[in-house]
Amino acid sequence: MTKVELFKFIHVLAAMVWVGGGTTAAVVAFRMKNAEPAHRLGFARDMRFISTWIFLPAALIAYVFGSLMVEEVAAFDYEQTWIGIGTIGIALTFLTVAIYLVPRIRKAVKLMEAGLGPEAGVLMRKIAIVSRFNLLILFVVVWAMVTKPGL
C-alpha cells in the first residue's frame, strides 16, 4: 500500500463513520418524536457522547488525511472546485457540531435530567433541524469528492 493509498483509505473510512453515523443518527432522531422520555434522554446522552468523541474526531481525521492527499498528489490543488467544496463543507459542519450542536445537546440533557421535558423537546427539535442541514452539507461534500467538479 502506497502512502497515498493509506491516506485515501483513512480519509474515506473517517468520512464513512461521520456521514454514515450522521445519517443513522438522523433516522433514529426522527423516531424519537414519539419515544418515552427515558428513551429520549438516553438518545440525547448517546448523541452527546457520539458527537464529541466520534463525529468531531472523524471530521478532523477526514480533513487531515484529505489534506495530506492534496499535498502528495501532484494533480490535486486546493484551488480545485471539488477540494474547495470539501474543505468548506468539512469546516462548516465541524464548526457547527463543535460550536452549536454539542453545547445544545449538553443543555438538552440537563433539561431532561431536571424534568423539563417540554423545554428540552423544543431544543431537541432545533438541534434536529441543524443536524439535518449539516447532513445535507456532508452529502454535498461526498458528491463533490465522487464527481470532482472542476477537475
Side-chain angles (χ1 to χ4, degrees), residues 1 13 15 37 60-62 67 97 109 123:
M1 178 178 282
L13 186 61
L60 191 57
I61 291 167
S67 295
V97 171
V109 168
L123 186 55

Side-chain angles (χ1 to χ4, degrees), residues 11 18 59 62-63 67 78 80-94 137-138 140-145 149:
H11 173 75
W18 192 13
Y63 174 75
S67 295
Y78 287 105
Q80 293 170 335
T81 303
W82 67 283
I83 293 175
I85 291 169
T87 302
I88 291 167
I90 286 177
L92 282 174
T93 56
F94 181 88
I137 293 171
L138 289 175
V140 170
V141 169
V142 170
W143 168 82
M145 297 299 105

Side-chain angles (χ1 to χ4, degrees), residues 33-85:
K33 286 195 300 190
N34 300 320
E36 296 174 13
H39 194 77
R40 286 194 299 259
L41 175 58
F43 175 73
R45 285 177 175 156
D46 288 343
M47 288 313 303
R48 177 182 59 191
F49 176 84
I50 291 167
S51 295
T52 303
W53 298 106
I54 305 295
F55 292 159
L56 288 175
L60 191 57
I61 291 167
Y63 174 75
V64 166
F65 282 88
S67 295
L68 288 170
M69 278 192 298
V70 172
E71 296 299 322
E72 287 292 321
V73 178
F76 295 168
D77 188 286
Y78 287 105
E79 310 238 343
Q80 293 170 335
T81 303
W82 67 283
I83 293 175
I85 291 169

